[in-house]
């Protein structure tokens, strides 16, 4: 495709507008026709460059659908659309505007801090920002209350979709143990939009659906779901994002003069960072998931286990080990950091989260590397990410060895990352 930066920025703006539904943005038309939680938050970073007000609205719309218990759901079904499965009739969560019944990575806090810091006149956004900080803090409280009822400092996922990395090898063993007897017949829609070789398998979908049905039968009662869940996995990537966002929220709360909130969040984030050590997997030389049902670490070296870069302090030996792994992976697969160790026999460069590279995760890694003082490696990741765009435009994900565009096209959050990379990250801030 070979685009220069000006053309890339124009293309990214075109895609952000193409997928804009006024007060929320769809990830891409057809495949994902509603509002997705972490897509939407990361999209706001790109929107802010062209229209700051629109970026705030994106976050406000998402948070307007927060559940009374504090959960911010992973999908808000704003409009009827037959092109997606599972739709509101499967979830049956009983919300006034239908939503799914699970959540997604908590990037809201870290995005909020970026928007606040980048606002030319912070006094003008003070009220909006305060409301969002309170909503996000309530969501974080929900995580630690409902997904860590024993107070270990690490929250569990009850569905692979909550991780955002749906079919990562990380879930293989835990997902295989989910009973599927009694699942209602269903028809997948995703494979009418995208080549099935780039999507999760039928085996995985059956279990995704079984989990939805199981939690639906329990009335989506988050006070009970954790202990009864047939899938309960602690993911280092998910926890690192949550803790990173918690620190970000604490800083914004402090800047706004809400010292009580700030102190509470700082204290919790600090306690939880220390608990990440439980997820260090010496056999893999990186972090890995913990199956909370069996109590065992999962031997799967995925990108989730590199994301703790987001919470490790400068000079930490584990941070250097993770940066070396990134460099090793890039030497084999140069188009972005791949989602699974390319040396693993399960690596599949085409199939969704089992190998392809995703620019949003690359963005988070760049953030973590910079925070850890490893700017040179961050630059390498930035260059590898831009190589995907230069070659294939704004796709959902990319083959990490060839840069081939995979999954959905004209993809919103990828466009947002292009804006972020070209306007902010290149300047090293
Ligand atoms: C999907 O439908 O593929 C989504 O990732 C679930 O959130």
């Amino acid at each position: 495709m070979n685009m220069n930066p000006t053309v890339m920025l124009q293309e990214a703006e075109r895609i952000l507008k193409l997928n804009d539904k006024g007060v929320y943005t769809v990830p891409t038309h057809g495949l994902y026709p509603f509002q997705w939680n972490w897509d939407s938050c990361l999209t706001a970073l790109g929107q802010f460059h062209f229209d700051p007000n629109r970026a705030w609205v994106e976050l406000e719309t998402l948070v307007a659908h927060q559940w009374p218990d504090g959960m911010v759901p992973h999908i808000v079904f704003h409009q009827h659309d037959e092109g997606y499965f599972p739709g509101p009739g499967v979830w049956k969560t009983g919300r006034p505007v239908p939503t799914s019944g699970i959540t997604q990575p908590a990037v809201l806090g870290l995005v909020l801090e970026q928007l606040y810091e980048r606002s030319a006149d912070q006094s003008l956004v003070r009220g909006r920002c305060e409301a969002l900080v309170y909503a996000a803090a309530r969501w974080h409280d929900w995580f630690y209350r409902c997904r860590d009822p024993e107070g270990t400092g690490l929250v569990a996922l009850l569905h692979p979709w909550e991780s955002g990395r749906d079919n990562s090898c990380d879930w293989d063993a835990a997902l295989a143990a989910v009973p599927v007897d009694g699942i209602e017949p269903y028809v997948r829609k995703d494979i009418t939009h995208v080549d099935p070789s780039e999507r999760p398998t039928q085996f995985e979908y059956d279990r995704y659906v079984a989990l939805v049905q199981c939690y639906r039968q329990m009335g989506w009662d988050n006070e009970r779901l954790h202990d009864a869940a047939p899938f309960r996995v602690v993911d280092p990537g998910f926890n690192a994002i949550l803790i990173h966002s918690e620190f970000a929220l604490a800083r914004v709360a402090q800047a706004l003069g809400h010292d009580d909130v700030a102190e509470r969040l700082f204290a919790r984030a600090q306690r939880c960072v220390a608990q990440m050590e439980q997820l260090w997997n010496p056999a893999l030389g990186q972090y890995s998931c913990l199956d909370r049902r069996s109590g065992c670490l999962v031997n799967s070296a995925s990108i989730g286990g590199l994301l703790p870069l987001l919470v490790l302090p400068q000079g930490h030996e584990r941070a250097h080990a993770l940066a070396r792994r990134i460099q090793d992976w890039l030497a084999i697969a140069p188009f972005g950091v791949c989602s699974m160790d390319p040396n693993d026999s399960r690596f599949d460069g085409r199939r969704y989260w089992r190998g392809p590279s995703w620019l949003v995760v690359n963005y988070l890694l760049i953030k973590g590397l910079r925070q850890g003082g490893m700017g040179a490696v961050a630059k390498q990741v930035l260059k590898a990410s831009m190589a995907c765009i230069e070659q294939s435009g704004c796709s959902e994900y990319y083959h990490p060895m060839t840069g081939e565009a995979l999954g959905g096209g004209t993809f919103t959050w990828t466009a947002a990352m292009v804006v972020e990379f070209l306007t902010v990250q290149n300047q090293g801030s």
Side-chain angles (χ1 to χ4, degrees):
M1 202 165 278
N2 273 335
M3 294 190 274
N4 69 43
T6 312
V7 176
M8 275 192 212
L9 212 50
Q10 281 165 353
E11 173 64 358
E13 186 177 9
R14 183 185 75 82
I15 292 172
L16 289 175
K17 290 200 170 128
L18 178 74
N19 296 336
D20 188 348
K21 305 286 281 181
V23 292
Y24 69 96
T25 313
V26 298
T28 186
H29 291 286
L31 181 61
Y32 302 120
F34 312 107
Q35 183 178 26
W36 261 260
N37 184 327
W38 75 321
D39 288 74
S40 218
C41 294
L42 292 163
T43 294
L45 288 175
Q47 290 172 327
F48 191 83
H49 179 75
F50 303 109
D51 182 353
N53 178 58
R54 181 63 191 80
W56 288 103
V57 169
E58 187 76 21
L59 303 185
E60 286 163 347
T61 304
L62 178 69
V63 158
H65 300 278
Q66 184 166 28
W67 283 22
D69 67 4
M71 184 182 80
V72 181
H74 105 292
I75 307 175
V76 184
F77 298 104
H78 290 280
Q79 282 182 344
H80 178 79
D81 195 304
E82 284 296 323
Y84 180 80
F85 172 87
V90 179
W91 292 93
K92 291 195 175 76
T93 54
R95 300 290 304 145
V97 172
T99 73
S100 69
I102 57 173
T103 192
Q104 253 187 343
V107 289
L108 174 61
L110 71 91
V111 170
L112 195 49
E113 183 182 42
Q114 294 296 296
L115 300 200
Y116 183 68
E117 279 182 354
R118 293 175 193 178
S119 292
D121 185 345
Q122 291 177 335
S123 67
L124 286 181
V125 292
R126 186 186 169 87
R128 302 177 91 169
C129 197
E130 269 173 348
L132 286 164
V133 167
Y134 272 94
R138 208 157 72 75
W139 184 23
H140 289 200
D141 292 346
W142 172 86
F143 270 120
Y144 288 107
R145 190 178 74 250
C146 297
R147 296 309 181 77
D148 181 24
E150 287 182 15
T152 66
L154 296 170
V155 303
L157 306 176
L158 307 189
H159 196 299
W161 284 341
E162 294 197 310
S163 70
R165 308 191 314 274
D166 302 7
N167 68 337
S168 166
C169 304
D170 294 351
W171 328 123
D172 287 0
L175 199 57
V178 170
V180 288
D181 35 301
I183 56 166
E184 292 154 8
Y186 68 94
V187 179
R188 285 175 68 173
K189 302 283 174 66
D190 59 318
I191 46 180
T192 64
H193 302 287
V194 168
D195 185 329
S197 70
E198 297 166 25
R199 292 287 303 172
T201 61
Q202 196 56 41
F203 180 88
E204 287 158 336
Y205 253 81
D206 282 352
R207 279 142 193 90
Y208 299 156
V209 174
L211 288 172
V212 171
Q213 273 184 222
C214 168
Y215 303 145
R216 187 183 73 202
Q217 273 153 16
M218 294 184 66
W220 299 110
D221 178 356
N222 276 307
E223 306 298 329
R224 292 197 301 140
L225 290 188
H226 176 277
D227 289 354
F231 180 97
R232 209 154 61 224
V233 181
V234 178
D235 169 31
F238 193 94
N239 278 276
I241 290 171
L242 178 59
I243 296 167
H244 181 90
S245 275
E246 182 116 308
F247 277 121
L249 279 183
R251 286 188 293 268
V252 180
Q254 195 167 45
L256 294 169
H258 296 284
D259 292 345
D260 49 338
V261 179
E263 272 164 34
R264 191 170 70 76
L265 297 181
F266 271 132
R268 186 167 59 192
Q270 257 144 6
R271 189 172 68 80
C272 295
V273 170
Q275 298 311 315
M276 291 295 294
E277 192 54 22
Q278 292 180 48
L279 305 179
W280 179 257
N281 188 324
L284 300 178
Q286 64 164 83
Y287 294 85
S288 75
C289 288
L290 172 83
D291 187 329
R292 192 169 265 171
R293 284 170 58 90
S294 68
C296 297
L297 279 180
V298 179
N299 272 325
S300 169
S302 84
I303 194 91
L306 305 184
L307 283 169
L309 276 166
L310 283 167
V311 296
L312 292 171
Q314 284 218 2
H316 197 292
E317 59 168 315
R318 305 256 187 261
H320 287 289
L322 298 182
R324 276 195 303 276
R325 275 185 85 62
I326 289 178
Q327 288 179 302
D328 291 347
W329 291 11
L330 281 175
I332 301 172
F335 287 89
V337 182
C338 43
S339 43
M340 181 68 194
D341 182 345
N343 302 297
D344 191 293
S345 60
R346 291 167 299 176
F347 171 89
D348 178 345
R350 302 186 68 79
R351 204 180 275 281
Y352 212 33
W353 287 95
R354 298 176 82 87
S357 59
W358 293 70
L359 292 208
V360 286
V361 180
N362 281 251
Y363 161 75
L364 294 170
L365 292 175
I366 292 169
K367 221 174 178 11
L369 287 163
R370 289 226 170 103
Q371 181 178 287
M374 290 169 289
V377 188
K379 265 200 185 130
Q380 262 181 278
V381 177
L382 182 59
K383 200 163 157 240
S385 305
M386 290 312 294
C388 300
I389 306 296
E390 279 155 23
Q391 176 157 323
S392 302
C394 294
S395 195
E396 186 178 5
Y397 41 96
Y398 302 88
H399 195 298
M401 284 151 180
T402 63
E404 179 190 349
L406 298 170
T410 53
F411 218 82
T412 307
W413 71 1
T414 307
M417 292 304 104
V418 171
V419 179
E420 180 70 16
F421 291 152
L422 288 175
T423 60
V424 183
Q425 304 295 330
N426 254 348
Q427 287 139 35
S429 59

